Structure formats: C-alpha cells, structure tokens
Amino acid sequence: MLQVLPNQEDIYDMLSLLLSDRIVVEYSKMPMNLADKYVATYLDEAGEIGALCCCDPQFAAFAGGSITLMPPDATKDAADFDDLTEMMVSNMYEVMNICTRLVINDETPHLKLTEVKKFEEVQEAVAAILGQDNRGDYTVDIPRYGKGSLTFFVR
C-alpha cells in the first residue's frame, strides 16, 4: 500500500473542522454499493490513481450544503432525489479536495484531486483500484443535515 487508508479518528479530525465539531463518524458495517455515487479521483505525479473517495448523494448534499449553511430541508430534498445544486456540487468538490490530506502523509507520494464525477462516468478508469483490499467504509452524521456514507480506496 503506497497511500494511507484513513481511520475513523482521522476523518473526524478533518471533517469536524469543516462541517461541525459535533459530527459523528463511524465505521460502516455494510460496504457501499458504488452505483449512483460520486467518486473523487486522486492522481499521483505520474498520472496514476493513488486513491478514491466515494460518497453517496446524502453525504454530497449534506456536506456541500452545510458548508454554506443551506437550509437542511433543501439539502435533504436534493439528497433524496440526487438532484444536487451547482453550489452543493462545488462545495462537495472542495470537501473532497481537503480530504486529499486523509490519504497522504510525509512518507507517501503526493496526490492531487483531479475530478469528482458519478461512478458510471469513471467506472472503467477506476476498476483496477476497486479490485484491491485497501478499502474503508464510513458513515458521517452531520448535525441538522443527516447521515451520509464515504468510502476510501487507496493503492
């Protein structure tokens, strides 16, 4: 494994600074089904995939909405229908960019967030890293907004 697989405490430490110090991060007992999920792709300097962070529409809407204090009801509707506003998607991209720090440290190759797209759009490109065992599934409960899921894959 070249990159770091974040743990529950690391995720809490990073996301609590952005979203709320009252978030709850837990290991998920159920691996995330990636269909209809958002995939953040992190590439190394050679252009190889070093890590992925996948999130469901709930996490994307709630994290994206909470950063700019969007009304919780609006984010819940967006999550339920996977109809995120442009602002939610843009904010979620920023959250995924900050999450880069969760999969690297001083001893790992540098990674850069290159895109956030729906799984169906990147499925073939990310297939190799999905077949590895270096995976961590989590739920994140954001106060006032709700619970969503995150899954990290690292090389």
Side-chain angles (χ1 to χ4, degrees), residues 75-147:
T75 64
K76 289 176 185 166
D77 288 344
D80 288 345
F81 296 102
D82 193 8
D83 187 24
L84 278 61
T85 66
E86 194 173 314
M87 181 182 291
M88 286 177 190
V89 173
S90 177
N91 291 346
M92 188 256 307
Y93 183 93
E94 291 306 319
V95 171
M96 293 294 104
N97 192 34
I98 291 167
C99 284
T100 305
R101 295 296 308 157
L102 291 170
V103 294
I104 62 174
N105 63 28
D106 293 338
E107 299 173 10
T108 63
H110 178 75
L111 295 179
K112 179 180 178 181
L113 175 64
T114 56
E115 63 185 2
V116 178
K117 292 187 174 182
K118 289 294 223 145
F119 177 69
E120 291 74 19
E121 297 175 61
V122 296
Q123 184 173 1
E124 288 182 32
V126 302
I129 196 168
L130 296 177
Q132 299 182 13
D133 292 332
N134 302 324
R135 173 183 181 148
D137 292 273
Y138 306 91
T139 60
V140 180
D141 194 349
I142 303 169
R144 296 185 49 231
Y145 291 88
K147 187 181 285 190

Side-chain angles (χ1 to χ4, degrees), residues 1-7 10 41-53 99-113 129 132-136 152-155:
M1 179 167 48
L2 297 176
Q3 304 306 139
V4 177
L5 186 61
N7 63 36
D10 295 335
T41 305
Y42 304 94
L43 299 183
D44 63 19
E45 292 175 2
E48 299 291 323
I49 297 174
L52 303 174
C53 181
C99 284
T100 305
R101 295 296 308 157
L102 291 170
V103 294
I104 62 174
N105 63 28
D106 293 338
E107 299 173 10
T108 63
H110 178 75
L111 295 179
K112 179 180 178 181
L113 175 64
I129 196 168
Q132 299 182 13
D133 292 332
N134 302 324
R135 173 183 181 148
F152 288 89
F153 295 88
V154 298
R155 179 174 53 119

Side-chain angles (χ1 to χ4, degrees), residues 33-45:
N33 176 345
L34 298 180
D36 299 321
K37 304 305 183 278
Y38 293 89
V39 179
T41 305
Y42 304 94
L43 299 183
D44 63 19
E45 292 175 2

